[in-house]
Amino acid sequence: MLSFTGRQWLILFTVQFCTVLFGVTITSVGVILPQLKGALSATQDQVSWILTFNLVTTAVVTPLTGWLAAKLGWRTLMLCSVIGFTGASVLCGAATSLEMLLLFRVIQGGMGAPIFPMGQAMLLASFRRDQHAMILMMWGIGGVMGPILGPTFGGLVAEWLNWRWAFFLILPLGAASALMVAVALRDQEKGTARRFDGLGYLFIAIAIAAAQLMFDRGQRNDWFDSVEIVIEAVLAATCLYLFVTHSLTSKSPLFSPALFTDRNFVLGIGFATIMGMLQYTPMVLFPPMLQDLRGYPDAIVGYLIATRGVGNFLSFFVVVQCTRASPRMTLAAGLAIQAAAALWMGALDINLTTYDVLATNLIHGFGFGLAYTPMAVLTFSTLQPSLLTQGNALFSLLRMLGSSIFISLTLLVFVYSQATASSALGSFVSIFYPTAMVDWAAQVGAPGSTALHLKLASEVRRQAAMIGYINAFHLLTLMAAATAPFAMLFSVPRPEPAAAPAE
């Protein structure tokens, strides 16, 4: 039976609350983009920067988390992050131009970057290793609530009031989070910072920013036919090479070399990248598919996709027991379940039903929840406590990059498959192939008529798009299924004796 002290409970609730604050704020913005486009007289490309700038800044600042925690301490860093993040959110709501909003979104991303990795690091350091599965599961409830509540919150507030209140109403949550941080945390790790590796950080910051921009804007700019994408790719590759070379030769690199001598941690950050790839892809593919091909309204799509969060929540009832029994098998099973759900998604056709959407997202969310806890437990199970904050920063960064990379890759597969299928289907649906014309064609119009041409063209587009989505889901299946066996490469440490909890 696990027993927690009052301070441990307070730390857990504080981290949960901060995670919900971060999740709600980040995920609610996507819902209000249409209002922002009209209110700020912005084009589709311009309004996309509202998301892109925030993601890039978050990715660039995340590697600093370990050094900042060692320099400032837990409480000071978390308090500054929460207050800065909340203040920037309020300023976003007060913005009167696109330029102002972009500036405040950059500040918001930079201030909020340490919240997620610091939260996980504090929990792992504050509880014994045999308690980690339970703690990560309980923290995961807060992590799940953000992506569920965010779109719902943003949509309702934007509908009842306007887009500004989606930012303004973050203030009470932020104030409550800051108060809890001030009471619950102490400045552990303060004064333990090594010399800051400015050159190494410059290299990795440029590499991350260039890679994030490349993957986020590649599809929109037709990839390497765009000069912008070519420049970003060259910058990312060059600076990554310089960062690795510098880290191998520097006396005080940005990330401690001890991180990369830990087998479980190295395997774990690889799995974190894969899990980042699997996490958001269905949430990106399903909404346009349901809206464009099946005519579902936005509100209904949001509720259907939210069942993924329900699946996550259901996994919490079994994940702790399964992780204690066999973390490697639980991780493999979670990935296998995600592969099965994605395989079902890939078997759907244009006549998919509401049940299909509910069931596939529920199962995929369950598999993700079942896999995440043992993955995190195994990743940090053998890492030195002094390296937990650094390790969590790298862990979170690679999850974020994995998500960006794979979303771009699946969209590329979708576009290519759709174009190929459209060409193939269109070549056969023609007056020159009367046997290929379906029975309903004669009811629409005579061969060669405008009505028939438009109807057939529309149906070819729909069927080709569906083939594109199916191939993207097949890629999701392949990634999850191919990764599952590698869970057996983790080593499972022996349970440590009970010790006094960290204060």
Side-chain angles (χ1 to χ4, degrees):
M1 182 71 178
L2 296 177
S3 59
F4 304 147
T5 66
R7 177 164 292 277
Q8 285 179 316
W9 280 113
L10 191 56
I11 290 173
L12 175 60
F13 290 143
T14 299
V15 171
Q16 271 190 328
F17 208 82
C18 292
T19 303
V20 171
L21 166 73
F22 183 78
V24 167
T25 307
I26 296 303
T27 56
S28 64
V29 175
V31 181
I32 64 174
L33 285 182
Q35 277 202 27
L36 289 172
K37 183 179 176 182
L40 301 176
S41 301
T43 65
Q44 182 63 41
D45 190 60
Q46 288 173 331
V47 81
S48 70
W49 284 106
I50 295 171
L51 293 177
T52 302
F53 274 30
N54 183 269
L55 290 173
V56 170
T57 310
T58 301
V60 167
V61 176
T62 297
L64 283 175
T65 302
W67 183 83
L68 287 172
K71 186 74 174 178
L72 303 175
W74 286 2
R75 178 167 55 188
T76 302
L77 176 57
M78 201 66 162
L79 198 57
C80 289
S81 293
V82 169
I83 292 175
F85 181 78
T86 305
S89 299
V90 174
L91 290 175
C92 286
T96 57
S97 67
L98 179 64
E99 292 76 15
M100 287 180 64
L101 181 57
L102 291 176
L103 173 62
F104 297 143
R105 286 284 286 170
V106 167
I107 297 172
Q108 184 191 52
M111 297 304 298
I115 291 177
F116 187 90
M118 272 296 296
Q120 183 165 287
M122 287 189 295
L123 291 180
L124 293 174
S126 300
F127 294 84
R128 300 193 312 269
R129 291 193 190 275
D130 64 304
Q131 298 173 326
H132 284 178
M134 175 67 76
I135 290 305
L136 289 174
M137 179 275 292
M138 296 173 73
W139 174 57
I141 296 175
V144 167
M145 293 308 295
I148 292 176
L149 295 176
T152 307
F153 168 79
L156 291 175
V157 169
E159 183 177 343
W160 291 344
L161 301 170
N162 62 47
W163 65 269
R164 296 184 184 279
W165 286 94
F167 291 110
F168 290 151
L169 290 178
I170 297 300
L171 181 59
L173 286 175
S177 297
L179 180 61
M180 293 178 72
V181 168
V183 172
L185 302 183
R186 298 175 182 173
D187 275 328
Q188 287 98 325
E189 298 190 19
K190 184 176 182 179
T192 62
R194 300 174 295 130
R195 184 176 65 86
F196 180 63
D197 181 14
L199 185 59
Y201 176 69
L202 178 64
F203 287 147
I204 195 62
I206 295 174
I208 291 170
Q212 186 78 43
L213 285 169
M214 180 183 74
F215 287 115
D216 187 68
R217 294 178 55 78
Q219 187 60 50
R220 188 179 298 111
N221 291 351
D222 204 16
W223 291 101
F224 294 104
D225 286 338
S226 164
V227 174
E228 176 195 331
I229 300 302
V230 171
I231 292 173
E232 288 162 357
V234 171
L235 268 177
T238 302
C239 289
L240 179 61
Y241 170 77
L242 292 174
F243 173 74
V244 172
T245 304
H246 172 78
S247 296
L248 293 174
T249 56
S250 174
K251 293 182 178 179
S252 182
L254 184 64
F255 293 111
S256 172
L259 286 170
F260 306 101
T261 61
D262 187 290
R263 173 183 168 181
N264 273 13
F265 179 76
V266 173
L267 279 170
I269 58 176
F271 270 82
T273 306
I274 300 298
M275 290 288 281
M277 293 178 175
L278 301 177
Q279 183 173 12
Y280 293 109
T281 304
M283 298 170 67
V284 171
L285 294 176
F286 266 106
M289 183 178 73
L290 294 173
Q291 291 163 353
D292 297 341
L293 304 186
R294 297 292 293 163
Y296 279 75
D298 294 351
I300 299 300
V301 171
Y303 290 129
L304 292 177
I305 302 303
T307 56
R308 176 182 173 80
V310 176
N312 283 158
F313 183 78
L314 291 176
S315 70
F316 298 150
F317 290 100
V318 298
V319 69
V320 175
Q321 297 87 338
C322 292
T323 300
R324 287 177 183 165
S326 178
R328 294 183 298 187
M329 286 300 296
T330 305
L331 172 56
L335 288 165
I337 291 172
Q338 291 180 80
L343 186 63
W344 186 354
M345 294 173 187
L348 300 176
D349 58 31
I350 199 74
N351 298 312
L352 80 163
T353 65
T354 298
Y355 170 77
D356 293 323
V357 181
L358 288 171
T360 53
N361 278 276
L362 183 75
I363 295 171
H364 198 273
F366 181 87
F368 185 88
L370 190 65
Y372 185 87
T373 295
M375 177 193 68
V377 168
L378 288 168
T379 299
F380 298 102
S381 61
T382 56
L383 199 64
Q384 300 173 32
S386 60
L387 298 175
L388 282 174
T389 306
Q390 271 192 66
N392 274 283
L394 190 56
F395 181 90
S396 300
L397 173 62
L398 289 175
R399 271 188 65 197
M400 189 184 309
L401 289 179
S403 178
S404 297
I405 292 169
F406 199 66
I407 287 173
S408 299
L409 185 58
T410 51
L411 291 178
L412 179 63
V413 168
F414 166 75
V415 171
Y416 177 79
S417 299
Q418 182 185 31
T420 304
S422 181
S423 177
L425 292 172
S427 67
F428 285 101
V429 182
S430 165
I431 60 173
F432 298 107
Y433 291 91
T435 56
M437 306 290 279
V438 293
D439 294 338
W440 55 261
Q443 302 175 19
V444 175
S449 68
T450 301
L452 178 60
H453 176 76
L454 292 175
K455 184 65 176 179
L456 290 176
S458 174
E459 189 60 28
V460 165
R461 182 195 66 80
R462 292 176 72 242
Q463 296 292 344
M466 191 66 205
I467 292 172
Y469 285 117
I470 287 170
N471 287 342
F473 287 134
H474 285 162
L475 182 62
L476 188 68
T477 304
L478 179 63
M479 184 61 66
T483 307
F486 290 96
M488 297 300 123
L489 295 178
F490 281 101
S491 62
V492 180
R494 295 178 179 178
E496 65 178 16
E503 289 292 330

